[in-house]
Amino acid sequence: MSGTAGTAICLLRCDLRAHDNQVLHWAQQNADFVIPLYCFDPRHYVGTHCYSWPKTGPHRLRFLLESVKDLRETLKKKGSTLVVRKGKPEDVVCDLITQLGSVTAVVFHEEATQEELDVEKGLCQVCGQHGVKVQTFWGSTLYHRDDLPFRPIDRLPDVYTHFRKALESGARVRPTLRMPDQLKPLAPGLQEGSIPTMEDFGQKDPVTDPRTAFPCSGGETQALMRLQYYFWDTNLVASYKETRNGLVGMDYSTKFAPWLALGCISPRYIYEQVQKYERERTANQSTYWVLFELLWRDYFLVALKYGRKIFSLRGVLQSKEIPWKKDQLFSCWKEGKTGVPFVDANMRELSATGFMSNRGRQNVASFLTKDLGLDWRMAEWFEYLLVDYDVCSNYGNWLYSAGIGNDPRENRKFNMIKQGLDYDGNGDYVRRVPELQGIKGADIHTPWALSSAALSQAGVTLGETYPQPVVTAPEWSRHIHQRPGGSPHPRGSKRGPAQHKDRGIDFYFSRKKDAC
């Protein structure tokens, strides 16, 4: 490397990892000095667009701070460090270019949605004014954007199944990058800067609920440890499809999402580990299902196709007019006081821990939009609280649930009582609502249907110790006093969509056989 290669600033955003990081990889090969940089952008800590709730709540902020700290420690072991600043990235980069006088390139991974694109536009303007090269890459998804069989992006299918089939039959996952053991040093005289605290953002460190399904810390180190545990130490990945709809505990699902959201783990690395596991241990529907979920995450690249529409009241189906409401029922929903136990248990888990199961998310979103008819953009509450908030996945899933996104089924609606019975038949999860702990068995899902004597014996007074339901859907009545079957979710694997997914599994294994 010649002495004229200069200094590269590597702006890290949702790619807080040292492995499979093309930004760091490129800079290592094209600069004498490499500055890994993370900026705590003040725009991430103001109010949300529609309802002015904090964009970043305490659970995600703690996870982010842990991730930044972990990456700094990892980079130090490689002869570098993570430079940390508070400020808008375009302003911080401008200051560094001026301060150092040796910056020849600014490198970053591109993002998909408007606020992030605006930052990239600002960076390009700053670099243009100073004659500094801008080098960008794509690295947040399993399949690279340029490898999608849909060009231009406007041709991306509006139905997930079409998207999945096209990728599984006509695209490849790029291999992970081999990263150097040692990184180039920082430019001389540059201070790494201190990592802020929760208090610096006016927030308190949240108390860890011992019942949380996600008791993990942020950072690449923990992400890789989780994969090692879930795949190789316990073989839990081999039963993922059977357990993924669980509600209680750490091990019913991979729990990769929080780390994926911040880029602490590469989806391509997960893919390669699945492939290795299938070669060395077993390949079954569960191992495929991990890849299926990564592909579903990729599908919300639909944000590239629709842009700002994914945040609009009408969603991506602009012709569909729905009379969304705004009223005090939202407070009941967000506080877990709707009087519908399955909804309330999930919403209280979210507030207490920053986490909610996939099954819970689908149900509470359906309840808000279909049963209460409230403005779907109250999804901003999830943006505030979720530890694994990801802009494309969050808003894409909410559009899907609200019926104004990419869903081939019209008016999809979840039955709260049936779902509770299917996935929490004995009420063990819902019984975490302390007001209802005295109700035994499946009756806990419909306390309003119990006799006065039964409620009295359980210590429940509806309207006083626990709310009357704010709404009761007519279809719920078919399941009142129904007892669940022997399976924890007896009907969970016999729905239409699962049949389509199984065809994907058949294709996956037939393709692997052909490749051998």
Side-chain angles (χ1 to χ4, degrees):
M1 180 67 66
S2 70
T4 60
T7 299
I9 296 175
C10 298
L11 178 64
L12 303 178
R13 296 187 288 175
C14 292
D15 48 359
L16 299 180
R17 63 179 183 269
H19 74 277
D20 193 32
N21 191 317
Q22 196 165 5
V23 167
L24 296 175
H25 188 270
W26 183 91
Q28 181 74 7
Q29 296 179 330
N30 292 276
D32 291 318
F33 302 105
V34 174
I35 303 174
L37 171 68
Y38 184 83
C39 298
F40 285 90
D41 190 333
R43 292 166 293 196
H44 294 171
Y45 306 94
V46 297
T48 55
H49 180 69
C50 292
Y51 292 98
S52 295
W53 300 313
K55 280 190 173 184
T56 305
H59 301 291
R60 187 162 77 260
L61 178 56
R62 178 173 64 183
F63 194 80
L64 171 61
L65 292 170
E66 292 168 344
S67 299
V68 168
K69 180 180 179 182
D70 179 75
L71 182 57
R72 173 173 280 183
E73 293 173 352
T74 297
L75 294 179
K76 283 186 174 181
K77 294 174 184 176
K78 294 177 176 290
S80 180
T81 188
L82 180 64
V83 174
V84 173
R85 297 289 188 269
K86 287 186 71 175
K88 297 177 181 178
E90 55 270 41
D91 293 342
V92 172
V93 167
C94 183
D95 291 343
L96 288 174
I97 291 173
T98 303
Q99 172 191 343
L100 297 172
S102 62
V103 176
T104 52
V106 172
V107 199
F108 56 85
H109 280 117
E110 296 177 40
E111 297 287 344
T113 48
Q114 194 61 49
E115 291 180 1
E116 292 74 20
L117 295 176
D118 288 344
V119 170
E120 294 171 18
K121 181 179 179 180
L123 288 165
C124 290
Q125 290 174 346
V126 166
C127 291
Q129 292 165 3
H130 291 83
V132 172
K133 173 185 176 67
V134 174
Q135 179 67 52
T136 65
F137 298 101
W138 183 264
S140 61
T141 52
L142 177 61
Y143 287 89
H144 195 284
R145 178 184 58 188
D146 294 342
D147 296 338
L148 298 178
F150 318 110
R151 307 299 296 177
I153 202 67
D154 288 349
R155 293 182 55 227
L156 193 147
D158 285 333
V159 177
Y160 169 69
T161 303
H162 300 163
F163 173 85
R164 174 182 59 77
K165 288 181 176 180
L167 263 66
E168 289 182 335
S169 61
R172 69 179 183 89
V173 177
R174 296 185 182 186
T176 55
L177 296 167
R178 182 170 181 175
M179 302 297 292
D181 293 331
Q182 291 293 304
L183 295 176
K184 298 287 180 63
L186 298 186
L190 184 62
Q191 300 298 310
E192 64 179 8
S194 60
I195 298 174
T197 64
M198 296 284 294
E199 291 72 20
D200 291 332
F201 295 94
Q203 299 199 41
K204 295 181 179 179
D205 198 6
V207 176
T208 300
D209 190 313
R211 302 170 300 174
T212 181
F214 189 76
C216 304
S217 301
E220 177 181 22
T221 302
Q222 289 293 315
L224 297 177
M225 287 175 58
R226 174 62 181 175
L227 186 145
Q228 172 69 29
Y229 168 82
Y230 197 83
F231 282 35
W232 302 104
D233 296 346
T234 64
N235 292 309
L236 286 166
V237 67
S239 57
Y240 170 69
K241 186 170 184 285
E242 289 71 42
T243 63
R244 65 193 173 88
N245 280 309
L247 299 166
V248 178
M250 179 67 181
D251 290 342
Y252 63 78
S253 65
T254 66
K255 301 296 193 301
F256 292 153
W259 292 296
L260 281 167
L262 289 181
C264 298
I265 192 168
S266 162
R268 298 190 302 182
Y269 177 75
I270 297 174
Y271 174 84
E272 289 183 353
Q273 288 293 302
V274 169
Q275 298 283 299
K276 181 181 179 183
Y277 186 91
E278 290 180 332
R279 290 192 304 269
E280 297 182 7
R281 302 245 175 125
T282 188
N284 60 19
Q285 292 189 357
S286 288
T287 55
Y288 167 79
W289 216 266
V290 175
L291 304 182
F292 179 92
E293 298 289 3
L294 288 175
L295 200 50
W296 178 250
R297 178 177 177 269
D298 273 16
Y299 181 56
F300 290 119
L301 279 173
V302 72
L304 292 171
K305 176 178 179 177
Y306 288 108
R308 291 181 183 270
K309 288 181 180 179
I310 69 168
F311 305 110
S312 70
L313 186 64
R314 294 187 177 186
V316 301
L317 304 178
Q318 293 288 299
S319 61
K320 194 169 184 178
E321 187 73 46
I322 298 176
W324 300 110
K325 299 183 297 183
K326 300 179 183 179
D327 61 35
Q328 69 276 12
L329 288 179
F330 171 74
S331 293
C332 299
W333 178 82
K334 74 180 180 70
E335 294 171 8
K337 295 181 179 179
T338 67
V340 182
F342 195 53
V343 173
D344 292 347
N346 276 288
M347 294 305 297
R348 294 189 194 190
E349 179 185 18
L350 175 63
S351 293
T353 70
F355 191 82
M356 186 189 298
S357 68
N358 179 62
R359 181 57 45 182
R361 296 180 200 204
Q362 294 179 71
N363 275 275
V364 300
S366 177
F367 185 78
L368 180 85
T369 59
K370 302 296 178 63
D371 289 303
L372 299 183
L374 296 181
D375 181 358
W376 77 270
R377 295 172 302 175
M378 291 173 178
E380 288 178 352
W381 189 250
F382 272 39
E383 179 176 352
Y384 163 49
L385 282 176
L386 279 176
V387 69
D388 63 346
Y389 170 74
D390 169 278
V391 58
C392 294
S393 293
N394 186 64
Y395 283 95
N397 274 302
W398 270 93
L399 288 168
Y400 187 90
S401 294
I404 51 174
N406 301 83
D407 187 354
R409 283 178 54 183
E410 283 288 329
N411 301 317
R412 181 191 301 267
K413 182 184 179 186
F414 282 82
N415 183 318
M416 297 300 111
I417 309 309
K418 182 177 185 298
Q419 288 280 303
L421 292 170
D422 279 358
Y423 297 99
D424 185 35
N426 194 48
D428 294 334
Y429 175 71
V430 168
R431 206 159 282 112
R432 293 182 171 193
V433 177
E435 304 97 299
L436 301 176
Q437 287 181 349
I439 302 178
K440 307 300 182 184
D443 285 339
I444 196 171
H445 289 288
T446 53
W448 63 88
L450 298 179
S451 66
S452 298
L455 288 172
S456 178
Q457 184 177 3
V460 177
T461 304
L462 293 180
E464 294 183 16
T465 63
Y466 185 72
Q468 292 278 2
V470 295
V471 65
T472 53
E475 64 269 19
W476 296 357
S477 62
R478 299 195 300 270
H479 305 282
I480 293 177
H481 301 310
Q482 179 179 315
R483 292 295 177 268
S487 168
H489 19 267
R491 291 174 291 278
S493 61
K494 298 181 181 179
R495 296 188 172 92
Q499 295 171 1
H500 293 294
K501 296 171 186 175
D502 288 344
R503 287 201 293 272
I505 292 171
D506 293 340
F507 174 82
Y508 174 73
F509 286 112
S510 65
R511 184 178 62 167
K512 288 174 70 68
K513 182 178 179 180
D514 293 341
C516 294

